[in-house]
Amino acid sequence: MRSPSLSARIGIGLLSGLLLGILASLGGWTELVRLWVLPWGTLFLNGLKLVAAPLIVCSVLSSFASSAGWPRFGVRVVLGFLASTATAVTLGLTLCALWGPGRDLDPTARQALLDRYGGEAQQRAEQVRADREQSFVEAIAHMVPDNFAAALSDNRAMLELVVAVLVFGLALSTVPRRHTENLRAFLEGLEALLLKLVQLLLHVAPLGVLALMAALVVDVAGSSLNRLLALLKALAGYAGVLAFGFAGMLVLYALALTIGSPLGWRRFWRAFRPAMLVAFSTSSSAATLPVTLERCERELMIPQPISRFALPLGATMHMDGTALYQAVAALFIAQVLGAELGLADYLRLGLLVLLISVGTAPVPGAGVVMLVLVLEYLDLPSESVALILGIDRLVNMCRTVLNVTGDAVVATLVAFPRRSAD
Ligand code: ASP
């Protein structure tokens, strides 16, 4: 008998984790899950994070070292990223403006949400207050770290690390090949080792995903699933717009793959599903990056120079799900507060979200912190982020799936474009 595929095994882990979490919530064994189940998830997550930073360094540098063609595909990758994020933002804004979920939020539900999550919202607002004083140029300047080792050792500084290795990579591509033979051999060896580790981690992925899901349900629902259901009911319109937006983007990806690449979406879907499931359960593009790279290179056969350039860059700078979410959430909050937005505000909001999603760290919950910035630019009180915090864990999981899928879709389209003869 054939053993189930990797994505089937991870899917089973995910569902079992969900079930275990629900049973634990109902039976009041939440502490038991936290003490005995969650550590397996932490182990899996730590394994992924352990591999992620060195893999970024190796993969970006070797992409520049091994290919002279990077200016050509590099431009296509960046244009692809911009086009897909602009599409996500437009889709989110259009759906939310037409549907108007914030316009009919019950005033008592609004007050209850503000009271319940106001404190947490305050904390997030304070987190961004220091950054808000920066000018645009200052923000760019801060993206270049002044200490390579510090960027390498801080998982939250993934964006800075990618920018640093891109600078190193650009310089490396101008050094004559005869001087870089040893460096290339070293990078190749190290990379083979790291990808081996990823394959080993994928064997334990079902258990890791099970543990993360069970702990998440216990965390969100506590000992009362009713609280989660009540929240979902209060925010049904907001959740509905997001669900349509996320599903709409997946359909657009499938269309783009069908029209734009001979590979087609079915093959993509089969190969990439495990990475989507890992993204869903970890809520982190950075932690999923090792799996994204492994899937794209081993299963989709994307040439390494392209995958190693596009995927680390995409994981930190290209976030379709986060951009769509920030656009919808900001507009939803504006609707709830009765703020009137004109066409110019929509354009401003769209552009801002596009830029801000580039600077959002690829870690759980970073998107909501940056949302505070968006609200402040729109002159909306940042504390009103409390309105959507209740279901943000769930939203975070879904937007992370879109974030990693968008990177792989663009890499696939650049690697295997449909030519007229196909
Ligand atoms: N968790 C997301 C990611 O890692 C970022 C976010 O919070 O939107 O892709």
Side-chain angles (χ1 to χ4, degrees), residues 91 243-257 265 268-269 276 398 401-402 405-406 409:
L91 181 67
F244 264 89
F246 290 154
M249 274 312 285
L250 288 178
V251 172
L252 289 177
Y253 289 151
L255 266 177
L257 286 167
W265 71 271
F268 178 89
W269 168 252
M276 292 164 90
C398 303
V401 172
L402 221 57
T405 311
V409 168

Side-chain angles (χ1 to χ4, degrees), residues 6 19 31 58 68 83 105 120 137 141-142 172 210 212 249 288 343-344 363 376 378 390 401:
L6 178 63
L19 198 68
E31 264 317 289
C58 271
L105 185 75
E120 205 175 318
V137 188
H142 283 144
L172 179 64
L210 180 153
L212 288 174
M249 274 312 285
T288 313
L343 188 63
V363 294
E376 300 221 335
L378 288 177
V401 172

Side-chain angles (χ1 to χ4, degrees), residues 283-286 315 319 322 325 360-368 396 399-400 403:
S283 301
S284 167
S285 305
M319 300 196 178
T322 298
Y325 146 80
T360 305
V363 294
V368 76
N396 195 355
R399 64 185 189 243
T400 309
N403 288 348

